[in-house]
Amino acid sequence: MFLNKKMPATAPQEFVTAEVVPAQWLSKICVNSFMIKRLLICLLSFSPVMLLAQVGPQTALPRVYRDSLKHLGVRMINNEDEMERKAANYNFIKTLTTTLKMPGSFNFKFDSVKTISIINAPDGRFRIFSWPVMNQDGSYRFYGTIQINTGTAPLEMYPLADYSPFMSSPQDTVTSNTKWYGALYYNIIPVAGANPYYVLLGWKGNTPKSTKKLIEVLSFQNGKPVLGAPVFADKGTTHDRIVFEYSRQVSMMLKYLPEQHLIAFDHLAPPDKKQQDKPETYGPDLTYDGYRLQNGKWIFQENIDLRNLGSPTDQDIVDPKKQALLDRAAASAGHN
């Protein structure tokens, strides 16, 4: 798991220094009062710019951490040995935590670390790191953390502990970050109101036979994250989150259409009536359903017409196992 979040940041500081003109050189110049005044005016005019350069936020991830996270990220996804994946994940968590302790780390860009998801709240309040590590049986355990934007103040983050195996009814359970229904998040939707919250779209993986996606809710109470809320209405019932399960051999579209305030998704159906109790056989049937935002709630709607919205395919998530196979194939081709 991530380390304790109450950790003051200590890291080396870099300072901008102005080039000093040697006194010996100045002594050789024949100056008068007019030249001295001009020199002072020039120095004073440039000094505010230099000061601003010193205090501006640092956005570049230090190279030593960037390279380490990139290397460990590839190992924890692509390595064929389960113990090696877990060891790489453990070291990835330690390195990421050390990185986030640095002053101003909220501004760090992790663009080179392709094996994790990082989504930022549109209001700049926080961001979420999430990623999966595959178990030997083809299932996944998820890891992540919520980093609060504290500016230059010490790090405030809430590690996400995957509690999925112990949740018997995830659609009707409100939890905290310590009992997280783990997922890799790929979209965040702010919902304003008297009790504002955020909707998260996520990919969950599942078993060698089936995959899951979900619509999650994140809010904050007394500054602490709360996951799940009864905001999804469907034919007289409400749910705290929405979970879809379908065959691992197919893809499911789940995306947000902001112009319509609509979360649209493929309608999932079994290949025949005999398979209705086997969600691992389900797949898209070329119709679409959705949840539309109305007065702070998401109301279920059937048979949505998406013909005028371009391609409804969802390209946000690639199954990590499939990506690992592609990466290994590309690496082998590069050595041939």
Side-chain angles (χ1 to χ4, degrees):
M1 299 305 304
F2 279 86
L3 303 182
N4 194 319
K5 64 175 183 269
K6 297 179 180 178
M7 27 196 169
T10 57
Q13 298 290 324
E14 296 181 357
F15 297 93
V16 178
T17 57
E19 183 179 356
V20 179
V21 180
Q24 296 90 336
W25 186 79
L26 284 175
S27 65
K28 296 179 183 179
I29 300 177
C30 183
V31 297
N32 56 36
S33 59
F34 175 76
M35 293 177 64
I36 294 174
K37 289 179 182 178
R38 291 290 299 271
L39 180 60
L40 288 173
I41 291 172
C42 289
L43 289 173
L44 289 172
S45 65
F46 279 106
S47 59
V49 178
M50 294 168 63
L51 289 172
L52 286 173
Q54 293 179 36
V55 301
Q58 179 182 352
T59 60
L61 179 64
R63 183 172 180 178
V64 62
Y65 297 114
R66 181 194 67 197
D67 293 347
S68 181
L69 289 170
K70 181 179 179 180
H71 175 68
L72 290 168
V74 171
R75 283 178 53 200
M76 71 185 183
I77 297 297
N78 287 2
N79 199 291
E80 296 186 40
D81 184 84
E82 180 180 25
M83 296 307 296
E84 288 292 331
R85 291 195 300 271
K86 291 182 177 180
N89 179 62
Y90 175 74
N91 288 317
F92 184 94
I93 291 172
K94 290 199 303 180
T95 305
L96 178 61
T97 303
T98 300
T99 305
L100 296 182
K101 288 182 184 180
M102 298 180 67
S105 67
F106 191 85
N107 296 306
F108 288 173
K109 307 297 182 184
F110 292 81
D111 298 340
S112 62
V113 186
K114 305 295 186 181
T115 50
I116 67 173
S117 168
I118 306 173
I119 58 171
N120 292 269
D123 57 12
R125 182 179 180 184
F126 63 90
R127 62 180 175 177
I128 305 176
F129 297 74
S130 59
W131 67 92
V133 175
M134 189 173 65
N135 299 315
Q136 192 63 37
D137 63 1
S139 63
Y140 294 91
R141 182 174 181 181
F142 289 82
Y143 299 83
T145 193
I146 302 172
Q147 182 187 14
I148 306 300
N149 186 357
T150 60
T152 57
L155 173 65
E156 180 183 354
M157 73 176 187
Y158 297 91
L160 298 167
D162 194 349
Y163 198 72
S164 303
F166 309 103
M167 297 177 67
S168 59
S169 181
Q171 292 204 134
D172 303 303
T173 304
V174 177
T175 68
S176 68
N177 60 294
T178 61
K179 293 184 177 181
W180 175 45
Y181 192 61
L184 185 153
Y185 298 125
Y186 60 90
N187 201 359
I188 182 169
I189 307 156
V191 180
N195 297 300
Y197 61 90
Y198 305 85
V199 170
L200 309 172
L201 304 185
W203 177 92
K204 187 164 178 59
N206 193 35
T207 71
K209 292 184 177 181
S210 74
T211 297
K212 291 182 179 180
K213 282 190 174 182
L214 72 152
I215 310 174
E216 179 66 274
V217 177
L218 171 63
S219 60
F220 292 87
Q221 295 182 8
N222 299 320
K224 303 296 178 64
V226 176
L227 294 158
V231 297
F232 300 101
D234 179 7
K235 300 176 181 178
T237 63
T238 59
H239 298 291
D240 298 312
R241 69 178 53 81
I242 303 299
V243 181
F244 306 92
E245 184 175 2
Y246 54 97
S247 170
R248 194 164 180 170
Q249 304 304 314
V250 301
S251 297
M252 176 199 173
M253 184 272 291
L254 172 64
K255 67 190 306 180
Y256 179 56
L257 306 175
E259 66 279 0
Q260 296 196 29
H261 306 291
L262 176 72
I263 300 172
F265 47 88
D266 282 307
H267 180 84
L268 301 173
D272 55 64
K273 292 183 178 180
K274 296 180 181 179
Q275 309 292 324
Q276 285 186 347
D277 60 344
K278 297 180 179 180
E280 68 272 14
T281 67
Y282 279 47
D285 66 356
L286 303 182
T287 64
Y288 305 99
D289 300 329
Y291 283 94
R292 193 179 302 276
L293 182 63
Q294 297 179 8
N295 301 319
K297 303 284 187 179
W298 296 88
I299 311 302
F300 178 72
Q301 295 185 346
E302 291 183 290
N303 296 320
I304 295 172
D305 186 357
L306 298 184
R307 287 176 298 178
N308 298 323
L309 295 177
S311 174
T313 57
D314 187 353
Q315 302 295 335
D316 294 297
I317 293 298
V318 176
D319 187 323
K321 184 176 182 180
K322 295 178 181 177
Q323 186 61 54
L325 293 174
L326 293 173
D327 291 343
R328 290 172 196 158
S332 297
H335 287 94
N336 292 334

